[in-house]
Amino acid sequence: MSKVKRFFYSQKAAPYVFILPFVLTIILFWIAPIANGVLLSFQDVLKDEWVGFDNYSRLISDKMFYKAVYNSMKYMIGTLILLIPFPMLFATLLNSKLMKGAGFFKSVYFLPALTSVVVAGTIFRLMFGEMDTALANQIMGILGQSPIKWLKGEWTGYAVLLIVACWRWTGVNILYFLAGLQSIDTELYEAASIDGANKWQQFLKISVPLLKPTTVYVLTISIYAGLAMFLESFMLWKGNNSPQNIGLTIVGYLYRQGIEKRAMGYACAVGLVLLVVVMIINMIQLVATGTFKKEER
């Protein structure tokens, strides 16, 4: 047997061989792009000049950047408020023995996640159009209210974004929480029922605490998804130029600078700031939820 074969068949080398594809993937598609982005953020790519911290200095005084950060943070907070407690409650209902046709509802709830954002954004743009015949305005008419220019107002546009987010991601989060609920020993609920606890008390005292790992996971990915949102806004306003930039997000601002204005170095600075913000917020919530806390023996 050759030395190469002997190396690959040895027990010492086997673990390294198995993790090699994962390591190469991380290096090629994560570490290398970030390193390249860091280098570009200190350059004026069009002029091929090294500009040092000029891009970051410009970022600090850029009011439009702060507008994008405000919009993204507002969107993220709204999705956290809506897409964690409500899916948890719905998952609890689906997990109940009294629930009939749970399999059907699981499929229906998950279908929006399989729908193209481009198609969904176009449909919602038509639903919340300015005309009296738009679905949302027809409903307003039935309620005796005047038509609303949904996508031209800051808060109405924000509400539409949240409606799209809830439509798209509620089913996914329900499945996450449902998986967590099904890992909880049913004897705990039976014991609590014998002790006189009602369903609401069982949910608060058993389900919520034992769903903590799932909740932390959903919270983590929701923070990232909220701050990285772009395509939903792009499709709702049929481009990256919403009225008074009410739909402009951090990623949308990055797209505007890097693709539309070709200021790639400045766009890389925006992207790195976004990466740092996401990491800081997630680290804070992971520490706050006790994820890094060592278990007592």
Side-chain angles (χ1 to χ4, degrees), residues 30-41:
W30 198 77
I31 295 177
I34 289 178
N36 188 48
V38 171
L39 291 175
L40 289 176
S41 71

Side-chain angles (χ1 to χ4, degrees), residues 15-296:
Y16 300 100
V17 173
F18 284 124
I19 68 170
L20 184 61
F22 174 76
V23 173
L24 290 175
T25 301
I26 291 294
I27 292 173
L28 291 174
F29 297 104
W30 198 77
I31 295 177
I34 289 178
N36 188 48
V38 171
L39 291 175
L40 289 176
S41 71
F42 293 102
Q43 301 176 42
D44 185 329
V45 178
L46 288 178
K47 296 180 181 179
D48 195 19
E49 293 180 355
W50 186 268
V51 296
F53 288 95
D54 287 358
N55 287 326
Y56 293 96
S57 299
R58 175 185 167 189
L59 196 64
I60 293 172
S61 59
D62 192 339
K63 293 181 179 179
M64 195 58 64
F65 171 72
Y66 289 110
K67 173 72 172 179
V69 171
Y70 170 74
N71 290 339
S72 293
M73 293 291 290
K74 184 170 65 171
Y75 175 80
M76 179 199 72
I77 293 169
T79 55
L80 292 181
I81 293 172
L82 295 173
L83 289 175
I84 291 181
F86 291 108
M88 188 186 293
L89 286 170
F90 296 152
T92 303
L93 292 173
L94 283 175
N95 195 50
S96 173
K97 294 179 180 179
L98 300 175
M99 185 69 185
K100 303 296 181 183
F104 169 76
F105 287 106
K106 291 176 192 175
S107 302
V108 170
Y109 289 148
F110 192 74
L111 278 177
L114 303 177
T115 306
S116 167
V117 182
V118 175
V119 175
T122 303
I123 293 172
F124 275 93
R125 184 173 70 245
L126 296 173
M127 288 171 57
F128 290 92
E130 297 181 21
M131 298 182 296
D132 296 351
T133 54
L135 179 61
N137 281 332
Q138 287 186 31
I139 295 173
M140 295 299 293
I142 294 171
L143 297 174
Q145 302 296 320
S146 302
I148 296 175
K149 295 181 179 180
W150 296 92
L151 298 178
K152 289 191 175 179
E154 180 179 356
W155 289 102
T156 52
Y158 174 61
V160 175
L161 276 174
L162 290 182
I163 290 171
V164 174
C166 290
W167 175 82
R168 184 167 175 78
W169 297 117
T170 297
V172 176
N173 287 358
I174 285 174
L175 293 183
Y176 286 140
F177 285 117
L178 195 58
L181 285 169
Q182 290 175 350
S183 67
I184 300 174
D185 192 347
T186 55
E187 292 182 358
L188 295 174
Y189 294 102
E190 293 172 1
S193 180
I194 293 171
D195 288 340
N198 57 37
K199 295 295 182 181
W200 180 246
Q201 290 172 327
Q202 291 175 33
F203 173 75
L204 290 179
K205 300 297 183 181
I206 299 175
S207 299
V208 173
L210 294 181
L211 279 174
K212 181 181 176 181
T214 305
T215 305
V216 170
Y217 173 74
V218 173
L219 182 61
T220 302
I221 62 174
S222 296
I223 289 172
Y224 165 76
L227 291 176
M229 187 273 290
F230 166 65
L231 194 52
E232 291 89 339
S233 174
F234 189 89
M235 293 310 302
L236 275 178
W237 278 278
K238 206 175 181 180
N240 199 33
N241 294 301
S242 54
Q244 298 180 350
N245 293 298
I246 58 175
L248 182 66
T249 64
I250 303 178
V251 179
Y253 187 65
L254 187 155
Y255 178 88
R256 178 181 293 179
Q257 296 297 328
I259 305 300
E260 296 175 355
K261 296 184 178 180
R262 298 185 180 181
M264 191 60 68
Y266 187 60
C268 286
V270 174
L272 287 172
V273 170
L274 172 61
L275 175 64
V276 171
V277 169
V278 171
M279 291 182 66
I280 289 174
I281 293 175
N282 267 321
M283 289 296 293
I284 290 173
Q285 70 90 5
L286 288 172
V287 171
T289 54
T291 304
F292 294 142
K293 188 177 181 180
K294 293 183 179 179
E295 295 183 2
E296 297 180 1

